[in-house]
Amino acid sequence: MVQHWWQEIVVYQIYPRSFNDSNGDGIGDLQGIIEKLDYLKELGIGAIWLSPVYQSPNDDNGYDISNYEAIMDEFGSMDDMEELLAQANQRGIKIIMDLVVNHTSDEHAWFIEARKDKNSPYRDYYIWANPAADGTTPNDLTSFFSGSAWKFDEETGQYYLHFFSKKQPDLNWENEKVREEVYHMMNFWIDKGIGGFRMDVIDLIGKVPQEKISTNGPKLHDYLQEMNQKTFGKYDLLTVGETMAATPENAKLYSKPERKELSMVFQFQHMNLDIQANGEKWDLAPLDVAKLKEVLAKWQKELGDEGWNSLYWNNHDQPRIVSRWGDDDKYRVQSAKMLAILLHMMKGTPYIYQGEEIGMTNTPISDISEAADIESINMYHERLAKGYDKKDILASINAKGRDNARRPMAWDSSTNAGFTSGKPWLALNDNYKDINVELALKGPNSIFYTYQKLIQLRKENPIMIWGSFQLVDTVDEVFSYYRKYKGQRWLVVTNFSSEVQPFSSEDEMKKVIIQNTVDEFTTLENINLQPWQAFVVEVE
Ligand code: NOJ
């Protein structure tokens, strides 16, 4: 099997709006990222996935693009972007651009033209349908941001499809011209020297709305193969598809090398485990660790030799993992380190979301006026109208809302955590005086250094990248597995709970590779794992 650079590195995701503001307007920007490249180099990452920086009216914080070949004013200019690419490349860091091509903004020139008149050459760039016989929406497809996925357009008397906000009309991938435009734009970015693409909701592009097919449409993989051929296929780039409906079985279609589609996908099965059966993301259920093991082990096994996994706990759409499945109070440091060790020791490319490396936590709100995210705000009003209790809605937002991940990055203990000298676009988490980068770098036992060590270990130990995975049978709350490579064996043991848990193995220890306690131990037999304890040992 050919080996690729993107299997060997760790990727760091930046949500530019919330990362670092260089000009005091309260919004993070490209120069702000450049200022922090040395910090990222110290962490050891090999690539940055940059959430969208393109021109956008910001209905969905940049995921609504009005010009794919221009930079958002608040973030800087194309010169800044080129400087970022050059400065990152100098430090051995590649830039992965976010590719949002399931939809554009309604302020994109294509849509402005398309909505003017039914005969516009751009009309067919989008998806239009007549009202149903009773005058209502063409069908009952719903938007991921609440309500119908169809919006009536007065001008021409038809509805257009929008799986996200009304200002994010869906592109019509059936139209060859749309596909050509997208490939052209991708090549524009490839020519600038980027390291690859993260592809937003890419499993929606094969949609057949008339038949109410959204994800996994019949032509999805044809389109991806065509895209590969016409753009990145000639180079060794990292391509990761965001695929909400991926299963271990169909994920091979994307990442099996001979199919020539993508490097890997972001799957959601592990992220969906704290949702009630048949519920929406807001319908909370406690995490069942046994299920988490089952799901992750299945992905490890299925994509073992026939594809490649991405490994992540966080992104700009998910709540902070230490608040979600760790313990962000008494065991914050311990549990954040455990989650890091557990994830980075699995087979695949790990992703770190800004702030994860210092254990940043969720930020609860007590009133909807404190929310900025369109998804949470729409859901709040929809559920209120349906008669839900305000307290319950806010509890869901506090547990799952996207603002949790989008609070500005905490750099130090000064005003606004050094994120901005102005007024931050979104308030910071109050705990920034205790949880910030400056403190993390000063504390030898901080979460930061666990991440740094994991990244360093990956550079030195091929077993971490290529070793096979085998789950170990344990009590539910203990998550343990082996990695095996060329006669070498590593045993990973983690306690996924705030209670002491039993663990025992007859393996003979050779040496400790990494751990999150200072315990000295020489045997693996009959151990009492401390709350959130994690260690990796090389065994005979
Ligand atoms: C997935 C992105 O990660 C999310 O932030 C965005 O709102 C939707 N796709 C729509 O682009």
Side-chain angles (χ1 to χ4, degrees):
M1 204 159 134
V2 189
Q3 302 186 344
H4 301 276
W5 63 271
W6 41 259
Q7 294 171 301
E8 297 175 2
I9 56 144
V10 172
V11 183
Y12 187 91
Q13 184 193 351
I14 291 184
Y15 194 68
R17 209 176 176 74
S18 306
F19 191 62
N20 184 33
D21 173 20
S22 72
N23 64 357
D25 67 355
I27 297 172
D29 48 43
L30 295 175
Q31 285 298 334
I33 298 174
I34 293 170
E35 283 173 10
K36 299 296 180 185
L37 285 174
D38 286 333
Y39 165 71
L40 297 177
K41 189 170 159 61
E42 188 176 349
L43 181 57
I45 53 125
I48 292 171
W49 151 23
L50 208 54
S51 274
V53 293
Y54 315 95
Q55 189 180 298
S56 163
N58 282 312
D59 193 50
D60 185 21
N61 283 358
Y63 282 90
D64 48 320
I65 297 169
S66 52
N67 184 345
Y68 291 99
E69 295 180 12
I71 300 295
M72 193 191 295
D73 286 341
E74 293 98 313
F75 290 171
S77 63
M78 194 55 91
D79 284 349
D80 295 320
M81 185 65 218
E82 280 166 6
E83 188 184 337
L84 170 61
L85 274 162
Q87 295 260 3
N89 285 341
Q90 262 172 33
R91 291 167 176 84
I93 297 174
K94 308 213 189 222
I95 300 284
I96 311 299
M97 296 298 276
D98 215 311
L99 183 78
V100 188
V101 290
N102 172 66
H103 45 267
T104 67
S105 161
D106 66 341
E107 296 181 33
H108 193 290
W110 300 336
F111 192 75
I112 293 175
E113 287 306 313
R115 87 189 312 176
K116 274 189 196 154
D117 123 45
K118 279 188 181 163
N119 298 316
S120 157
Y122 291 99
R123 185 74 173 179
D124 203 29
Y125 274 39
Y126 296 88
I127 297 170
W128 301 89
N130 290 324
D134 64 359
T136 59
T137 54
N139 60 33
D140 57 4
L141 278 177
T142 54
S143 155
F144 291 101
F145 289 167
S146 303
S148 170
W150 297 102
K151 161 104 174 96
F152 188 66
D153 199 50
E154 300 283 345
E155 190 96 14
T156 51
Q158 284 192 310
Y159 284 87
Y160 65 84
L161 182 77
H162 63 91
F163 272 127
F164 294 90
S165 94
K166 294 182 176 65
K167 285 181 68 61
Q168 291 167 298
D170 275 57
L171 282 166
N172 176 16
W173 273 73
E174 286 270 353
N175 183 346
E176 202 185 325
K177 278 201 226 129
V178 167
R179 306 204 299 276
E180 289 301 330
E181 298 256 25
V182 169
Y183 304 152
H184 186 268
M185 173 274 283
M186 289 173 74
N187 286 324
F188 166 88
W189 283 103
I190 290 173
D191 290 344
K192 287 204 181 289
I194 63 166
F197 295 103
R198 173 268 184 186
M199 304 182 178
D200 192 63
V201 288
I202 204 68
D203 60 352
L204 281 176
I205 63 174
K207 71 204 120 187
V208 189
Q210 313 81 306
E211 293 170 33
K212 296 204 267 185
I213 297 174
S214 54
T215 52
N216 294 329
K219 293 203 192 139
L220 167 63
H221 294 282
D222 294 345
Y223 295 154
L224 289 175
Q225 285 172 5
E226 181 183 82
M227 178 193 279
N228 176 308
Q229 223 179 48
K230 299 212 167 181
T231 64
F232 52 84
K234 300 183 268 308
Y235 316 91
D236 189 13
L237 296 189
L238 185 164
T239 51
V240 52
E242 188 201 23
T243 53
M244 61 183 114
T247 63
E249 292 76 19
N250 75 20
K252 279 181 232 172
L253 297 176
Y254 297 99
S255 72
K256 213 174 177 173
E258 53 274 31
R259 288 181 50 85
K260 296 196 179 348
E261 291 190 21
L262 308 178
S263 314
M264 63 191 114
V265 294
F266 287 130
Q267 58 91 11
F268 284 79
Q269 291 192 324
H270 67 310
M271 290 281 104
N272 293 340
L273 290 172
D274 54 10
I275 302 176
Q276 291 166 27
N278 302 322
E280 296 177 16
K281 78 177 240 187
W282 309 108
D283 301 315
L284 311 175
L287 175 68
D288 178 341
V289 181
K291 281 211 187 103
L292 179 70
K293 286 195 272 188
E294 192 187 308
V295 167
L296 290 179
K298 182 146 194 230
W299 278 88
Q300 290 285 304
K301 189 162 162 279
E302 289 286 332
L303 295 194
D305 302 316
E306 286 187 274
W308 191 252
N309 272 295
S310 72
L311 306 168
Y312 75 97
W313 289 131
N314 287 281
N315 60 40
H316 63 293
D317 295 329
Q318 302 291 338
R320 293 283 179 184
I321 198 65
V322 71
S323 301
R324 186 179 193 177
W325 291 341
D327 174 340
D328 68 4
D329 190 15
K330 185 167 169 200
Y331 295 112
R332 186 183 67 89
V333 172
Q334 191 80 343
S335 63
K337 290 180 181 175
M338 179 288 250
L339 287 160
I341 293 170
L342 176 59
L343 193 80
H344 284 239
M345 283 292 159
M346 281 192 270
K347 187 172 184 179
T349 300
Y351 289 73
I352 300 170
Y353 176 70
Q354 63 187 44
E356 176 183 339
E357 77 279 17
I358 56 166
M360 282 178 69
T361 64
N362 280 353
T363 308
I365 58 171
S366 48
D367 190 85
I368 194 64
S369 60
E370 297 165 58
D373 176 32
I374 183 169
E375 184 192 40
S376 294
I377 295 170
N378 286 0
M379 180 281 284
Y380 177 87
H381 294 297
E382 184 179 73
R383 289 204 164 183
L384 214 54
K386 283 186 180 158
Y388 281 69
D389 193 293
K390 211 185 255 185
K391 262 210 215 102
D392 293 338
I393 309 179
L394 285 172
S396 291
I397 292 177
N398 286 335
K400 296 298 268 305
R402 306 194 299 180
D403 288 334
N404 283 310
R406 300 175 180 188
R407 300 275 160 190
M409 180 80 181
W411 294 103
D412 57 38
S413 310
S414 68
T415 316
N416 293 321
F419 162 71
T420 181
S421 57
K423 183 178 182 307
W425 72 275
L426 181 66
L428 283 97
N429 189 313
D430 283 342
N431 64 17
Y432 76 80
K433 291 211 160 74
D434 303 315
I435 302 173
N436 64 52
V437 169
E438 191 181 31
L439 288 176
L441 292 176
K442 275 194 207 142
N445 293 321
S446 73
I447 300 163
F448 177 90
Y449 291 111
T450 295
Y451 275 91
Q452 188 192 50
K453 180 157 186 190
L454 285 165
I455 297 172
Q456 189 56 30
L457 283 170
R458 192 177 175 84
K459 291 177 182 163
E460 293 160 359
N461 296 279
I463 185 175
M464 251 177 105
I465 303 162
W466 311 113
S468 65
F469 172 98
Q470 192 194 334
L471 190 68
V472 175
D473 196 19
T474 57
V475 296
D476 281 352
E477 291 75 16
V478 173
F479 195 153
S480 167
Y481 56 87
Y482 288 105
R483 298 293 302 278
K484 295 183 192 169
Y485 184 69
K486 295 192 172 164
Q488 200 184 10
R489 297 201 310 150
W490 282 12
L491 175 65
V492 180
V493 181
T494 65
N495 177 357
F496 219 112
S497 78
S498 297
E499 285 81 47
V500 171
Q501 301 289 346
F503 177 80
S504 191
S505 162
E506 285 169 11
D507 283 310
E508 239 175 78
M509 274 183 61
K510 277 171 97 176
K511 64 171 180 204
V512 176
I513 306 290
I514 188 170
Q515 60 176 341
N516 69 348
T517 61
V518 286
D519 292 7
E520 302 238 352
F521 49 95
T522 48
T523 168
L524 297 167
E525 254 174 300
N526 299 321
I527 309 183
N528 282 325
L529 294 173
Q530 296 310 300
W532 306 101
Q533 185 173 354
F535 60 78
V536 182
V537 285
E538 179 162 359
V539 293
E540 283 297 341

